Amino acid sequence: ERRGGFAGLKASGTVDGSALHPDDRKTLEQLLSGEETFAAAPGTDRYTYLVTRENASGSTTREIPEDVLPAAVASVVTPEI
């Protein structure tokens, strides 16, 4: 789920982790497994992404700023009109 931006339009998408490039998958796993709190990206009207990973162990949700989220993940998010 994408949040923020100038118009604040709701947007969401889904991606199968196995379909991601291995480097993007590794980055996403590190972001979801980490304990760090992310600083908001500098600038106005920036996006943040509420990313949920679901697997056999359960689910994990983190809010991730657009500047650290792999572009391949952000690209599956489309506005809901």
Side-chain angles (χ1 to χ4, degrees):
E1 179 180 314
R2 184 178 69 198
R3 298 175 173 184
F6 177 71
L9 295 175
K10 188 171 183 176
S12 63
T14 302
V15 66
D16 182 345
S18 64
L20 293 172
H21 183 278
D23 291 340
D24 290 334
R25 187 172 48 246
K26 180 180 177 183
T27 299
L28 186 58
E29 285 296 325
Q30 290 172 338
L31 292 170
L32 290 168
S33 298
E35 296 289 325
E36 69 182 281
T37 300
F38 299 106
T44 58
D45 300 323
R46 300 298 299 261
Y47 292 122
T48 59
Y49 292 82
L50 192 63
V51 179
T52 300
R53 171 185 56 199
E54 296 178 355
N55 57 27
S57 302
S59 66
T60 303
T61 300
R62 303 244 3 236
E63 191 166 349
I64 302 172
E66 68 178 323
D67 61 328
V68 296
L69 188 70
V73 177
S75 70
V76 302
V77 176
T78 56
E80 299 173 16
I81 298 175

